[in-house]
Amino acid sequence: MTTFVDRVVLHLQAGDGGHGCVSIHREKFKPFGGPDGGNGGHGGSVSLVVDPQVHTLLDFHFRPHVKAGNGKGGAGSHRDGANGADLVLKVPNGTVVQTLDGTVLADMVGAGTTFEVARGGRGGRGNAALANARRKAPGFAELGEPGEKLDVVLELKSVADVGLVGFPSAGKSSLISVISAAKPKIADYPFTTLVPNLGVVRVDNHTFTVADVPGLIPGAASGKGLGLEFLRHIERCAVLVHVIDTATLELDRDPLADIDAIEAELNEYGGLADRPRLVALNKIDIPDGRDLAEMVRPDLEARGFRVFEVSTATREGLKELTYAMAELVEAARAAAPVAEPTRIVIRPTAVDDAGFTVEAEPDGSYTVRGARPERWVRQTNFDNDEAVGYLADRLARLGVEDQLAKAGAQPGDLVRIGEREFDWQPTLYAGADFVPGVRGTDQRLEERPTRATAAERLAARKARRQRPADEIEAGGVEADGVGADVASGSEDAE
Ligand SMILES: Nc1nc2c(ncn2[C@@H]2O[C@H](COP(=O)(O)OP(=O)(O)OP(=O)(O)O)[C@@H](O)[C@H]2O)c(=O)[nH]1
Ligand SMILES: [Mg+2]
């Protein structure tokens, strides 16, 4: 059995970043070589790209779990880990990418359009990269970040100039097969077409695309039959053509009733009222059909439709119909902006990428939100005290501690950053990595001298600078630059 696949749920997992390595260079007679732990490789990301050769989402239906490669860990002797392999998935033109709750992430139109859906985790820096003038041999490295993991819905909305609409078996697929090179399945049972067919039609020097979509039945707009799938494809067509079966044997159907039923569904789906429409009365090669077509023609014209009597079997009337299609398509193109060129969909970066927020929760705890603090927490190996100290320094330097204090946090309060919870113990000074004790431990965990925070020291320094010149002269030599604040570096811009 064929499955209708133009909507799939994909489970994506970008690659994890490799861990950074802790290593110290060893050489004979050089017991204290420098740190030489390499960085972890970045995790591979998952991207989608529009490929004109791909027409359905069927492949994803059979393979909904998608994972990009992990980055390799760093190693000693400054060896960086390899990056994980990126994964590029080919999708049909007109694929809409949504989250499970319906937020549109990307609307992929135009060959080559690319969208990075899941970003790989960053590789952790090795201890060589974390070393600086004061922290000469870090006893820790950063962890690799986990890759993004998310579920998305891919939905195909065909992009065609003309959409053929009509009841099942009206002859839509037959029509596209005779006016274009498309060779869809044609059969005398309803719902033969399950996946939309696109055809390219050339009339003189005009070229346009036509979409043959599944048949429509009353109730389609509320999901009956293949209704919504059908309507989704019509949404992007500039021109609609009603294909009507004039020779149906069903007693309760006639061309006027069919058009009413389909218009009612289009109307209920909404947003399609402005599309120009044509009516193709099909199967006039059958005598009863021709009679009926001639009978209803005046009624349809009275309603404002341009009517064409056609037969896909004998090809009668097709030339006039395709000319009229071309005319409407040209008019629609003239009215609409130029077709979108190939473009790259840029992932919207989180607004607060640079900053962070501190929020007091009703239960008395505090939550810190922000891309950087959350990433730093993910990169921290909590089994290593030195790494934890380094995290504390970074957070203090970013101003997280000051904001927590401002928000009213008291020592011992619960603070949440990303997926971690901490008992808040204010770090009393930042940039304190200059007293290496035992490797992998942080001295500050044992002793907590009461000293000014980084911000307080900065303010004090500014105040000193701003003192009038004469006062400084009178006051003698200023001990500028000497004091606790030498330590606050800026090596962690990242
Ligand atoms: N006699 C005659 N039969 C036709 C004509 N056009 C289509 N048919 C027949 O009508 C039947 C249905 O045709 P399709 O083209 O599959 O109809 P459809 O509208 O695509 O149907 P669904 O895909 O089920 O929605 C087939 O048996 C065709 O051979 C025509 O002009 N004359
Ligand atoms: Mg069909």
Side-chain angles (χ1 to χ4, degrees):
M1 197 197 123
T2 332
T3 329
F4 186 93
V5 180
D6 70 349
R7 185 177 190 282
V8 290
V9 177
L10 276 190
H11 311 284
L12 307 172
Q13 161 90 69
D16 298 338
H19 298 326
C21 167
V22 184
S23 165
I24 299 291
H25 183 72
R26 306 240 179 255
E27 211 177 306
K28 224 173 177 183
F29 310 121
K30 261 198 190 172
F32 298 112
D36 68 351
N39 303 328
H42 299 303
S45 57
V46 182
S47 306
L48 306 177
V49 61
V50 174
D51 184 336
Q53 306 300 318
V54 176
H55 298 287
T56 79
L57 299 170
L58 194 67
D59 285 355
F60 302 117
H61 180 71
F62 296 115
R63 221 171 53 102
H65 292 271
V66 172
K67 189 176 185 318
N70 292 337
K72 295 267 184 308
S77 309
H78 298 283
R79 277 168 302 169
D80 292 342
N83 292 340
D86 289 335
L87 204 59
V88 179
L89 307 175
K90 293 173 182 168
V91 297
N93 191 18
T95 300
V96 180
V97 189
Q98 290 171 314
T99 58
L100 293 186
D101 57 15
T103 311
V104 175
L105 299 175
D107 186 352
M108 307 197 47
V109 178
T113 300
T114 308
F115 173 59
E116 185 184 71
V117 237
R119 192 166 289 174
R122 292 183 186 223
R125 284 182 288 175
N127 69 339
L130 292 166
N132 61 21
R134 281 164 288 107
R135 190 174 51 223
K136 289 205 165 57
F140 67 100
E142 284 172 350
L143 297 181
E145 255 195 302
E148 267 184 321
K149 192 175 173 183
L150 78 164
D151 293 343
V152 294
V153 179
L154 299 188
E155 226 173 59
L156 179 58
K157 297 190 181 188
S158 301
V159 184
D161 298 305
V162 177
L164 304 179
V165 302
F167 271 73
S169 297
K172 301 178 294 298
S173 301
S174 306
L175 179 59
I176 202 171
S177 76
V178 291
I179 61 176
S180 79
K183 291 285 160 268
K185 182 171 174 190
I186 296 166
D188 60 357
Y189 54 85
F191 299 117
T192 307
T193 303
L194 296 169
V195 181
N197 303 297
L198 288 184
V200 178
V201 180
R202 285 189 188 86
V203 183
D204 288 349
N205 53 355
H206 302 293
T207 305
F208 56 89
T209 51
V210 177
D212 159 40
V213 299
L216 182 70
I217 53 169
S222 44
K224 222 168 173 189
L226 293 169
L228 288 174
E229 280 81 357
F230 159 95
L231 287 158
R232 206 153 53 214
H233 293 289
I234 294 306
E235 214 178 294
R236 300 206 200 195
C237 297
V239 176
L240 301 184
V241 175
H242 282 290
V243 180
I244 305 289
D245 184 351
T246 57
T248 176
L249 297 174
E250 286 174 46
L251 294 174
D252 55 342
R253 280 178 53 194
D254 67 69
L256 296 175
D258 282 6
I259 287 204
D260 284 343
I262 284 164
E263 284 292 335
E265 295 305 321
L266 296 180
N267 197 31
E268 191 173 325
Y269 188 69
L272 300 166
D274 61 332
R275 306 290 201 289
R277 289 143 158 88
L278 297 173
V279 173
L281 296 172
N282 188 29
K283 306 195 189 180
I284 57 163
D285 54 296
I286 298 171
D288 282 353
R290 188 183 294 271
D291 292 346
L292 186 57
E294 274 161 20
M295 240 167 73
V296 297
R297 186 185 188 106
D299 285 328
L300 291 169
E301 284 174 343
R303 292 197 198 175
F305 287 115
R306 279 172 75 187
V307 181
F308 298 84
E309 291 170 38
V310 301
S311 162
T312 67
T314 63
R315 305 195 171 211
E316 190 182 340
L318 293 180
K319 201 169 167 196
E320 292 80 358
L321 176 64
T322 48
Y323 267 90
M325 288 179 181
E327 211 176 280
L328 288 181
V329 169
E330 288 305 319
R333 284 185 187 162
V338 194
E340 289 164 89
T342 300
R343 66 201 163 110
I344 308 293
V345 181
I346 312 237
R347 271 170 68 99
T349 24
V351 193
D352 66 341
D353 206 23
F356 66 91
T357 58
V358 172
E359 217 171 287
E361 305 292 347
D363 64 358
S365 67
Y366 294 83
T367 306
V368 177
R369 290 190 183 83
R372 285 208 285 172
E374 286 173 25
R375 185 172 72 235
W376 292 344
V377 167
R378 284 194 298 271
Q379 288 173 328
T380 300
N381 174 3
F382 284 87
D383 296 334
N384 183 316
D385 290 343
E386 199 179 335
V388 176
Y390 176 61
L391 171 68
D393 288 342
R394 292 176 113 179
L395 292 174
R397 218 170 284 149
L398 187 67
V400 172
E401 299 224 329
D402 294 334
Q403 286 302 320
L404 276 168
K406 264 196 206 133
Q410 299 295 324
D413 282 352
L414 189 71
V415 172
R416 255 181 231 100
I417 308 179
E419 282 165 14
R420 283 267 174 179
E421 292 185 346
F422 305 87
D423 282 334
W424 188 46
Q425 294 302 339
T427 316
L428 298 159
Y429 50 95
D433 358 70
F434 56 88
V435 249
V438 184
R439 274 198 204 295
T441 61
D442 187 327
Q443 305 251 309
R444 287 164 301 168
L445 295 175
E446 277 75 56
E447 36 179 295
R448 296 186 188 284
T450 312
R451 292 176 71 172
T453 66
E456 283 164 3
R457 280 179 286 114
L458 188 71
R461 191 162 37 167
K462 271 197 189 139
R464 258 180 282 144
R465 291 228 178 91
Q466 276 160 9
R467 274 165 60 184
D470 55 274
E471 200 179 316
I472 290 178
E473 267 165 32
V477 183
E478 263 291 309
D480 206 0
V482 180
D485 45 17
V486 223
S488 46
S490 58
E491 81 273 31
D492 297 308
E494 188 31 41

